Amino acid sequence: MKNIALLGSTGSIGRQTLEVINSLGSDFKVVALTAGRNDLDLAAQVKRIKPEFAALADPEAADRLAAAVSDLNIAVESGDEGQLKAATWPGVDIVVMAQVGFSGFQPLVAALRAGKTIALANKESLVIGGDLLERLGLLDRSKILPVDSEHSALWQSIGSAKTEEIARIYLTASGGPFYGYSAEQLKQVKPAQALKHPNWEMGSKITIDSATMMNKGLEVIEAKWLFGLELEQIEVIVHRQSIIHSMVEYIDGSIIAQLGSPDMRAPIQYALTYPERKHGLVERYNPFDSQLTFEYPDRLNFPCLDLAFRAAKIGGTMPAVLNGANEKAVEYFLSGDIKFTDIPEVINSVMTMHSTIRNYSIEDAVAADGWARQIAEEVIAGLTGRMN
Amino acid sequence: MKNIALLGSTGSIGRQTLEVINSLGSDFKVVALTAGRNDLDLAAQVKRIKPEFAALADPEAADRLAAAVSDLNIAVESGDEGQLKAATWPGVDIVVMAQVGFSGFQPLVAALRAGKTIALANKESLVIGGDLLERLGLLDRSKILPVDSEHSALWQSIGSAKTEEIARIYLTASGGPFYGYSAEQLKQVKPAQALKHPNWEMGSKITIDSATMMNKGLEVIEAKWLFGLELEQIEVIVHRQSIIHSMVEYIDGSIIAQLGSPDMRAPIQYALTYPERKHGLVERYNPFDSQLTFEYPDRLNFPCLDLAFRAAKIGGTMPAVLNGANEKAVEYFLSGDIKFTDIPEVINSVMTMHSTIRNYSIEDAVAADGWARQIAEEVIAGLTGRMN
C-alpha cells in the first residue's frame, strides 16, 4: 500500500494522476489533495476520494471548499501553509507535485526535507531551484521520480547505470505545431493555432511552450538537475512522431531509448508503481508499419531553446528570470497582445537586463522571478506600443 | 581483473572478442583459447596473447599447434576434452562461447556446472539444448550473458525488470539482402549474392541464415530460453536499418529499446564489462537526420521463420532437427547444389519425417542432429536428381 499526496490535483496532470491511481486499485490511497483556487473541482474530488487532508492556495476558495465538504471529517487549509502540510503529510509515501510554475518549489523543499519520495511533474521548481537544492544538499536523485514523459524516459533508460557511464542524452521534441514554419509564417501565428499540439494533450501554458520550444528548453534544465549532467551532454532532437520519449547514449556507444504512445498516464503510472510495472490504462504502441524520424531543431526560428541553454549556462538566478519572463510573455500572447515571435524577444530583453546572483537563496529566486515578470510587462508595453 | 576463456577464438566473433579485450586494457586477461582446426591462426593468437591453455578440436591440428608454440610454457590439448578443459579452466571468470553449431553445447554444460559466467555467442546450444538445460536445472539466467546483438539488446532493455513484467519482445530483423524479393526472384538467388549482408559482417553460415531468416528463427528460440518467455510473446519485426537491435514491451505499455551502430564488438564488450560500461571501439550512432522503419516480415517467401516457430512449439528434439537440417541445406546451397528456395523445403521435409522425443537427453539431441543431417542429405539427393 502506498499513500499519496497529490499537489495540483485539479490540473491536467493532477486529474490524470487520479485516473491512474483509480485504475491501479487498492494498492494506492490518496490521503491529501491540493489545488490553487478551483474549489468546485477539488470539492468533487474530495467527496469522491475522501482524503485525510485538502488545501487550496486561495483563502476564499479554501473557505468555500471547507463549507462544501463540512459533512466529511476532512481537514481543510489554505495558503502556502496548506500546500506545505500536504507535502509533508504524515504517512505519505509519494508526493505527486503537479502544480504549475514556481509555486511548486517550497513544497518540494519541504517534502525533500521530510524525506518523502517525490513524483515530480512541476519542472519549474527544478529549473529555478535545481542549483539551490543541490547547494542545500537536498537534490537526492533517488527521491525525485520524474513525471515529465521525456524525463521518465531518461530515467527508465538509465536504470541502474552510473552517471559517469552516460555519454549524452537525446531529449526528443515533437517540434510542436509550427515545426517547419518560416520566420514570416511564425509572425502570423494565432493563439488558437498554438494551442493545438500535434501529439500531446496538455494545459495551455505548456502547449504554448511546446510551440515555442521553450518547453524543451526548460526540460533541458530539468534534465541537467535530475540526472546530474553537463549542459554539453544534452542534445535536443526533433522527433515528430513523439513515440521515442528520449534516449540515453552510454560511453560504450550503446543507446537505450524508451518508447510508447504519447500518453501522460504512462510516466505518471511508472513513477507511482516504480520499481515495479503494472498493467495500466495506456494503449500499447504497435510499431509495425511505422516510421520514426529524427531531425535537428530549428534553433534560428525557435530561439527559446537557445535562450534556455544560455540561461542554464549563466546559472544563478538567470533560469528564474528566463522562466518568469516566459510565463508573462505566454500570458500576453494568449490574450492576443503580443505576437508569437515576440515571446523570445521579450525573454531575451529581460535576460539581457538581469544581473545574475550566483549563490542565490530562495528569496533571491522569488525576487528574480518577480523582477522578471515586471520587466517583461514593461518590455511588452513597449512592444505593444510599437504594434499599435 | 577478469580472466577470460575464449572458445572459438579464430572465428569472426572470436577475433572481435580479442580485439575488444585488447582495447579494454589490463583489466582483462585471456587465459584459455580454443578453436576447431585452424592451427595457424590459433598459433598466432597464442604467441601474441600467451594464455595458460590452448586447444584445437582436430587432433592433427592440435599436434601442429603444440609444435608451433613448443617454446612457450602453454598446455595444448585436443578433442572434446580440450574444449571442456577450457570451459572449466580454474580462475576463469567469463567463458566466451563463440563456437559454431552444436559443438558449443557440451562445453556450455560443463561451464555452467563449474559455476562459470558465460558470454554466449553460440546460439545453437540454446536452440538445441535450452529445454535440456532447463530440465537439468542449469539454465541460470544470471550466468548466461548474451552476445548476439539482438539478445544483448533485450538483456540491456530488461535490466532489473522481472520476467512477469514483460508483455512481449520485438526481435528486430534486417530482412537480409533479399527482403522484398518475389518467390520467382528468390529461386534465382546465387550464394555470392546471399553472402552480401546489407548491415552486418559475419561468417558465411550465419549470413545465409540471415538471408533465409532462419537466423531470426533460431534467435526466437534462443530468446525464449534466455529470457524465459513464451513463444507467443516473441514478435519478429523487420527493421531494415539494423539500428534498433531489439525492444522489450512491458505490461504498462512502455517499450525499452537498445540502439547503436551495427557492430558485434558492442554486444561482446557489454557482456565482458557488465554490469559496467566502458569506452570502446564502437563508432557511435548519430541519430540526427535518420529514419527508422518497422515492417512485418514476409512469412510466405521466407518460410524458415515459421519453421523455427513450429519447431519451437513442438519442442523436444525438433529444434535440433530444424538446426541440423538447416546446416546441411545451407552447406549444399553454398556449394551450388541446391537453390535458395530449397533450403526451407529441405528443412520442412526433414521435420515432417521426425518423431520428436520430448524429455530428451544430450545423446538424444546429438542423435536427432545426426539423423536430421543424414535425412537432409537424402532429401537433397532427391531434389538435385529433380534439378538435373
Side-chain angles (χ1 to χ4, degrees):
Chain A
M1 164 72 84
K2 287 181 183 173
N3 288 329
I4 312 287
L6 172 54
L7 282 69
S9 68
T10 59
S12 169
I13 297 292
R15 284 179 278 118
Q16 292 182 80
T17 301
L18 291 177
E19 214 184 306
V20 167
I21 290 173
N22 189 47
S23 80
L24 287 172
S26 58
D27 287 348
F28 294 84
K29 187 171 156 42
V30 176
V31 297
L33 287 172
T34 81
R37 52 174 167 244
N38 186 341
D39 59 293
L40 283 178
D41 283 1
L42 189 58
Q45 290 176 348
V46 165
K47 284 176 184 171
R48 197 171 72 243
I49 292 160
K50 301 192 178 60
E52 299 165 7
F53 179 75
L56 281 165
D58 183 277
E60 288 175 27
D63 288 345
R64 290 194 297 272
L65 172 68
V69 301
S70 59
D71 54 326
L72 303 168
N73 182 24
I74 290 165
V76 175
E77 293 207 17
S78 70
D80 291 347
E81 201 48 43
Q83 305 294 319
L84 296 177
K85 264 203 182 163
T88 55
W89 194 253
V92 160
D93 301 295
I94 303 178
V95 182
V96 180
M97 302 240 162
Q99 313 99 316
V100 175
F102 193 42
S103 67
F105 185 71
Q106 303 243 30
L108 173 63
V109 171
L112 284 168
R113 285 212 162 108
K116 303 291 189 194
T117 293
I118 290 121
L120 188 69
N122 172 264
K123 69 190 78 178
E124 289 86 349
S125 38
L126 279 189
V127 169
I128 299 173
D131 181 5
L132 181 55
L133 282 174
E134 185 146 89
R135 277 185 284 120
L136 293 173
L138 286 170
L139 201 61
D140 179 350
R141 294 188 174 98
S142 69
K143 292 280 189 189
I144 308 181
L145 317 183
V147 169
D148 238 350
S149 66
E150 293 81 357
H151 302 78
S152 178
L154 294 168
W155 178 41
Q156 294 179 53
S157 299
I158 290 171
S160 55
K162 300 191 198 97
T163 304
E164 57 268 30
E165 292 174 349
I166 300 172
R168 60 182 60 73
I169 63 168
Y170 292 100
L171 208 57
T172 53
S174 71
F178 309 130
Y179 180 77
Y181 275 39
S182 68
E184 211 39 60
Q185 288 174 299
L186 286 173
K187 277 186 195 156
Q188 313 303 325
V189 155
K190 295 281 167 284
Q193 297 167 270
L195 286 170
K196 284 198 189 106
H197 194 276
N199 304 333
W200 294 96
E201 278 190 57
M202 302 174 294
S204 60
K205 163 33 172 90
I206 187 173
T207 304
I208 303 301
D209 283 350
S210 291
T212 63
M213 292 200 78
M214 177 57 89
N215 184 51
K216 209 50 55 181
L218 297 176
E219 286 177 5
V220 166
I221 306 176
E222 185 185 5
K224 171 186 158 64
W225 295 114
L226 271 177
F227 304 109
L229 301 170
E230 301 296 322
L231 277 178
E232 293 69 24
Q233 292 178 286
I234 305 175
E235 297 270 5
V236 171
I237 190 163
V238 172
H239 168 54
R240 296 292 285 157
Q241 300 82 26
S242 295
I243 295 299
I244 295 190
H245 299 315
S246 278
M247 311 191 271
V248 177
E249 182 189 312
Y250 291 96
I251 53 173
D252 61 1
S254 188
I255 296 175
I256 304 289
Q258 191 265 347
L259 295 74
S261 306
D263 185 331
M264 282 308 297
R265 295 174 302 181
I268 291 169
Q269 177 173 315
Y270 187 66
L272 294 177
T273 65
Y274 172 82
E276 294 182 0
R277 291 184 186 272
K278 298 197 182 286
H279 287 280
L281 299 168
V282 178
E283 198 180 331
R284 53 178 291 257
Y285 165 65
N286 177 357
F288 285 103
D289 287 335
S290 73
Q291 165 168 316
L292 306 174
T293 60
F294 303 105
E295 296 159 74
Y296 287 95
D298 178 353
R299 304 185 101 104
L300 198 68
N301 283 319
F302 298 88
C304 284
L305 187 56
D306 280 342
L307 288 174
F309 268 96
R310 182 167 23 123
K313 193 83 196 161
I314 295 168
T317 45
M318 193 57 96
V321 167
L322 170 90
N323 182 67
N326 179 57
E327 287 195 17
K328 266 295 159 212
V330 170
E331 191 184 313
Y332 278 87
F333 168 68
L334 281 173
S335 61
D337 292 316
I338 63 171
K339 286 184 290 187
F340 186 76
T341 45
D342 288 334
I343 298 174
E345 208 172 313
V346 169
I347 301 164
N348 184 50
S349 298
V350 177
M351 281 175 64
T352 307
M353 283 182 263
H354 182 62
S355 304
T356 304
I357 305 172
R358 216 141 283 285
N359 292 319
Y360 64 98
S361 62
I362 298 185
E363 293 69 31
D364 292 333
V366 172
D369 173 75
W371 176 88
R373 287 168 199 265
Q374 187 197 321
I375 302 297
E377 296 217 330
E378 290 172 19
V379 172
I380 288 165
L383 278 175
T384 48
R386 188 197 67 186
M387 277 169 79
N388 296 340
Chain B
M1 164 74 83
K2 288 181 183 173
N3 288 330
I4 312 286
L6 172 55
L7 281 70
S9 68
T10 59
S12 170
I13 298 292
R15 283 178 277 116
Q16 292 182 77
T17 301
L18 292 176
E19 213 184 307
V20 167
I21 289 173
N22 189 49
S23 79
L24 288 171
S26 57
D27 287 348
F28 294 82
K29 186 170 155 46
V30 176
V31 297
L33 286 172
T34 81
R37 52 175 168 243
N38 187 341
D39 58 292
L40 284 178
D41 283 1
L42 189 58
Q45 290 176 349
V46 165
K47 284 177 185 170
R48 197 172 71 242
I49 292 160
K50 300 191 181 60
E52 298 165 8
F53 179 75
L56 281 165
D58 183 275
E60 288 175 27
D63 287 346
R64 291 195 297 271
L65 173 67
V69 301
S70 59
D71 54 325
L72 303 168
N73 182 25
I74 290 164
V76 175
E77 294 208 16
S78 70
D80 291 346
E81 202 46 45
Q83 304 293 320
L84 296 177
K85 265 202 181 163
T88 56
W89 195 254
V92 161
D93 301 294
I94 304 179
V95 182
V96 180
M97 301 243 163
Q99 313 98 318
V100 174
F102 193 40
S103 66
F105 185 69
Q106 303 243 29
L108 174 63
V109 171
L112 284 168
R113 285 212 162 108
K116 304 292 189 191
T117 292
I118 289 120
L120 188 69
N122 172 264
K123 71 189 77 175
E124 289 87 349
S125 35
L126 279 190
V127 168
I128 300 174
D131 182 3
L132 181 56
L133 283 174
E134 184 145 90
R135 277 185 285 120
L136 293 172
L138 286 170
L139 200 61
D140 178 349
R141 295 189 174 97
S142 69
K143 291 281 190 189
I144 308 181
L145 317 183
V147 169
D148 238 351
S149 66
E150 292 81 356
H151 302 77
S152 178
L154 294 168
W155 177 40
Q156 293 179 52
S157 299
I158 291 172
S160 56
K162 300 191 198 97
T163 305
E164 58 268 29
E165 292 174 349
I166 299 173
R168 61 182 59 73
I169 63 168
Y170 292 100
L171 207 57
T172 53
S174 71
F178 309 130
Y179 180 76
Y181 274 39
S182 68
E184 213 38 61
Q185 286 175 300
L186 286 173
K187 278 186 193 154
Q188 313 303 327
V189 155
K190 295 281 166 283
Q193 297 167 270
L195 287 170
K196 284 198 190 108
H197 193 278
N199 304 334
W200 294 94
E201 278 191 57
M202 304 175 292
S204 59
K205 196 280 186 171
I206 188 173
T207 304
I208 303 302
D209 284 349
S210 291
T212 63
M213 292 199 77
M214 178 57 90
N215 184 51
K216 209 50 54 179
L218 298 175
E219 286 176 5
V220 166
I221 307 177
E222 184 185 6
K224 171 185 157 61
W225 294 115
L226 272 177
F227 304 110
L229 301 170
E230 301 298 321
L231 276 178
E232 294 68 25
Q233 291 180 286
I234 306 175
E235 297 270 6
V236 171
I237 191 164
V238 172
H239 167 56
R240 297 291 286 156
Q241 300 81 26
S242 294
I243 294 300
I244 294 191
H245 299 315
S246 278
M247 312 192 271
V248 177
E249 182 189 312
Y250 291 96
I251 53 173
D252 61 1
S254 187
I255 296 175
I256 305 288
Q258 190 264 348
L259 296 74
S261 307
D263 185 330
M264 282 307 298
R265 295 174 301 181
I268 292 169
Q269 177 173 315
Y270 187 67
L272 295 176
T273 65
Y274 171 82
E276 293 182 0
R277 291 185 185 272
K278 297 197 183 286
H279 287 280
L281 299 168
V282 177
E283 196 180 333
R284 53 177 291 258
Y285 165 65
N286 177 357
F288 285 104
D289 286 336
S290 72
Q291 166 168 315
L292 307 174
T293 61
F294 303 105
E295 296 159 74
Y296 287 96
D298 178 353
R299 304 184 102 105
L300 198 67
N301 283 318
F302 297 88
C304 284
L305 186 56
D306 281 341
L307 288 174
F309 268 97
R310 180 162 30 117
K313 193 83 194 160
I314 295 169
T317 45
M318 194 56 96
V321 167
L322 170 90
N323 182 67
N326 179 58
E327 287 195 17
K328 266 296 160 208
V330 170
E331 191 183 313
Y332 279 86
F333 168 69
L334 281 173
S335 62
D337 292 315
I338 63 171
K339 286 184 290 189
F340 186 76
T341 45
D342 289 334
I343 298 174
E345 209 173 310
V346 169
I347 301 164
N348 184 50
S349 298
V350 177
M351 281 175 63
T352 307
M353 283 183 262
H354 182 61
S355 304
T356 303
I357 304 172
R358 215 142 285 286
N359 292 318
Y360 65 96
S361 62
I362 298 185
E363 293 69 32
D364 292 332
V366 172
D369 174 74
W371 176 88
R373 286 167 199 264
Q374 190 197 320
I375 301 296
E377 296 218 330
E378 290 173 20
V379 171
I380 288 164
L383 279 175
T384 48
R386 189 197 67 186
M387 280 170 77
N388 294 340

